[in-house]
Amino acid sequence: MKENGLTLYTYGWVPEFARAFVRDFRIRWLLEEIGRDYRIAAFPVLEKSPAHLAIQPFGQVPVLRDGDLVLFESGAIALHLAEATDLMPEGRRAEVTQWVLAALNTVELASGGWMNMVLAARMPEAFGPASTPEAQEFARQLMRQRLDALESILAVRDWLLGDFTVADIVMVDVLRFVAAEGALGDHPALTGYVARATARPAFGRAMEDHMAHWDGSDAEQAAG
Ligand SMILES: N[C@@H](CCC(=O)N[C@@H](CS)C(=O)NCC(=O)O)C(=O)O
């Protein structure tokens, strides 16, 4: 039977510290920006179900179902949804793709490595063992190098390609993790960039829905 519409898969529940940062959020934000309706479906987070692994081989989220097409990797999903919208300006697909990949494969690779060490130091029982101080400093310096490079770019323009595109959604969502840890403080252009993007009404609507999802899962658990 043909499937219609958009379904975004996330988890049914995540611990408090992860809320607001689960990567389904960047797709919710994008969907709000382009005004597309979608439904949410949820997988268990701890035990990876066969149904989950069948559509995301690494057992991660997000996953998008668009009719008969099923996609994983937030960057691939974002590029797919942005096609033929204002978030992908005509004639600039290659540059937009370049910046989406830079966000994920250059910035998030470094910030994610650093973040894992921060979490391991904070919650060794869940993320440990904690790395040595030297390894933590190395990860921080690598991330800093990436942030410094981005800082000089965003010091002279509001958005990565001049106009707001899907690349800004992905990049800002990556930087939000860093900002929330207080590690953007000495990067005023990046701080302004994140503030500008997160003040967009679509961001606010998406965050409200994202957080309501976790509230709903808490309520369900409390009801037994
Ligand atoms: N490169 C993937 C990363 C996805 C990812 O790390 N998702 C997290 C949630 S934010 C996850 O499912 N983590 C659980 C796991 O890796 O088992 C993407 O961008 O979609």
Side-chain angles (χ1 to χ4, degrees):
M1 195 180 78
K2 189 164 170 44
E3 299 268 357
N4 287 313
L6 296 177
T7 303
L8 178 62
Y9 293 81
T10 184
Y11 290 121
W13 175 91
V14 293
E16 205 72 41
F17 75 86
R19 298 178 182 192
F21 297 105
V22 182
R23 288 175 177 80
D24 68 87
F25 175 77
R26 56 187 64 162
I27 308 302
R28 284 182 185 266
W29 179 12
L30 192 162
L31 288 164
E32 287 293 337
E33 291 280 356
I34 62 177
R36 295 277 309 264
D37 288 335
Y38 62 97
R39 63 180 282 272
I40 288 288
F43 290 123
V45 64
L46 298 177
E47 301 262 317
K48 307 294 179 185
S49 66
H52 186 181
L53 291 169
I55 58 173
Q56 216 297 4
F58 308 105
Q60 298 180 318
V61 301
V63 180
L64 180 82
R65 186 183 292 278
D66 180 358
D68 289 336
L69 176 69
V70 179
L71 280 179
F72 63 88
E73 282 298 332
S74 60
I77 297 169
L79 286 166
H80 167 69
L81 289 171
E83 201 64 54
T85 75
D86 290 349
L87 297 178
M88 177 81 83
E90 223 181 308
R92 304 200 70 188
R93 186 205 283 171
E95 293 162 275
V96 171
T97 305
Q98 162 196 275
W99 276 114
V100 168
L101 292 183
L104 299 174
N105 201 36
T106 303
V107 181
E108 192 169 54
L109 193 70
S111 63
W114 170 77
M115 181 62 73
N116 286 339
M117 290 191 187
V118 168
L119 292 174
R122 192 175 298 155
M123 291 177 272
E125 64 294 345
F127 293 94
S131 310
T132 61
E134 292 77 14
Q136 289 183 43
E137 182 54 21
F138 183 81
R140 204 182 63 80
Q141 287 300 339
L142 179 66
M143 177 179 71
R144 198 184 167 83
Q145 214 181 68
R146 306 298 192 231
L147 297 180
D148 290 350
L150 258 191
E151 175 75 10
S152 58
I153 289 167
L154 272 316
V156 294
R157 53 193 200 240
D158 276 359
W159 307 114
L160 292 167
L161 283 97
D163 292 329
F164 183 79
T165 71
V166 61
D168 296 299
I169 292 179
V170 179
M171 186 67 86
V172 167
D173 202 47
V174 168
L175 294 176
R176 282 194 317 114
F177 288 78
V178 181
E181 285 297 325
L184 267 196
D186 50 354
H187 291 84
L190 294 184
T191 301
Y193 175 57
V194 171
R196 226 167 14 256
T198 57
R200 295 175 71 87
F203 178 97
R205 289 195 298 273
M207 186 55 79
E208 212 170 287
D209 290 348
H210 178 83
M211 296 309 280
H213 176 74
W214 310 124
D215 290 345
S217 65
D218 285 343
E220 253 174 54
Q221 276 202 349

